[in-house]
Amino acid sequence: YWGAFGFLRPNRFHVLACSLSDGNLPKGRPSSLSAEIWDAQAVRNYRRSRSGLPPEFYQDEIDGVEMCSVVRDADEVAGLIWIYRTEDASRLFRLRETEAELNNGFVLPEFRGRGIFKISIARACEWLRDQDCQVVYAMVHTDNHPSKAAFEKVGFRGVATVRHFLLHRPAYRAPSSEETRA
C-alpha cells in the first residue's frame, strides 16, 4: 500500500517563463569559465572520451534535441542545459515558433556552487534571443530550490504550477496574446 502511495503521489512543478525582449540577462562570468552553444554532434564528440556522465549528457539520444548551452572550465564541461525549439520533441510545452524550452540541465558535482547553471541558462537565452526567440520556458520540480533560484536570477518568473502522476508529464501552453485580451 505505502509503496503504491509513494509511486502514485503527484509531482508538482513550477512553470517559469522569461521574455527575451526585457534585456535583463546577466552579463559577465568568471574568466576561467566559457559558455558556448553546442550542437548534438559536439556533445557526442565530448562524450566519446568520457565515462560515467549522467543521463542529462545524452538528451540528444533520448529526446532527439539538437542544441545545448555548455559551460566549460578549461577543457572540462562543468554543466549544460538543453534547448528545445519547435522542431524538437518537447514533452513539457506546446511551443510556438517564437518560443523555446530549457530542460534537462545539469552541473557536475565537482563544479557546483559557482553559478554555472545560471551561466548556462543565460547563454542559452542570449543565443535564443539572437535567433529571434521571444519567450523561453522552463519547468522545475517544486522541491528543486537551487534550479528555481538560478532561473529566477536570470530573469525567469513563475507563471503556473502543474501536477502530474507517474509517466504522464504535464503539458503547458501559454495563452496567446489574442487569448489574454479576451
Side-chain angles (χ1 to χ4, degrees):
Y1 168 78
W2 289 109
F5 177 78
F7 189 64
L8 295 174
R9 185 178 58 120
N11 286 295
R12 295 181 51 180
F13 292 86
H14 296 291
V15 177
L16 306 167
C18 180
S19 171
L20 298 183
S21 61
D22 295 343
N24 61 351
L25 302 177
K27 303 289 186 224
R29 58 185 62 98
S31 60
S32 66
L33 301 176
S34 64
E36 305 161 355
I37 300 298
W38 284 12
D39 63 13
Q41 184 60 50
V43 177
R44 285 190 288 273
N45 292 342
Y46 179 80
R47 285 193 310 243
R48 283 190 187 113
S49 62
R50 308 296 188 285
S51 63
L53 292 172
E56 289 82 1
F57 279 76
Y58 295 87
Q59 289 307 128
D60 56 315
E61 293 180 8
I62 297 168
D63 289 343
V65 66
E66 286 295 320
M67 304 299 288
C68 66
S69 171
V70 171
V71 176
R72 293 185 311 124
D73 186 348
D75 291 332
E76 290 299 316
V77 171
L80 56 69
I81 192 160
W82 290 92
I83 302 168
Y84 291 73
R85 298 173 295 168
T86 53
E87 59 268 22
D88 298 314
S90 171
R91 293 188 180 146
L92 301 178
F93 295 92
R94 296 182 189 118
L95 299 172
R96 294 182 181 89
E97 288 298 318
T98 59
E99 298 174 337
E101 170 189 348
L102 298 182
N103 197 347
N104 298 301
F106 191 81
V107 175
L108 292 167
E110 61 268 29
F111 295 104
R112 291 183 182 159
R114 296 174 48 195
I116 287 169
F117 194 55
K118 183 179 81 166
I119 294 167
S120 68
I121 295 166
R123 179 64 185 111
C125 289
E126 291 166 358
W127 182 79
L128 285 163
R129 184 178 52 214
D130 293 345
Q131 305 300 309
D132 297 322
C133 183
Q134 295 175 5
V135 179
V136 180
Y137 295 98
M139 198 173 292
V140 177
H141 195 279
T142 55
D143 292 339
N144 191 342
H145 303 293
S147 288
K148 183 176 184 256
F151 277 105
E152 289 173 339
K153 286 177 184 172
V154 175
F156 281 73
R157 298 291 170 249
V159 295
T161 300
V162 295
R163 297 170 18 146
H164 85 92
F165 296 88
L166 305 173
L167 300 176
H168 300 285
R169 290 187 182 185
Y172 180 81
R173 180 180 162 271
S176 67
S177 54
E178 293 81 28
E179 292 169 331
T180 55
R181 278 188 237 134

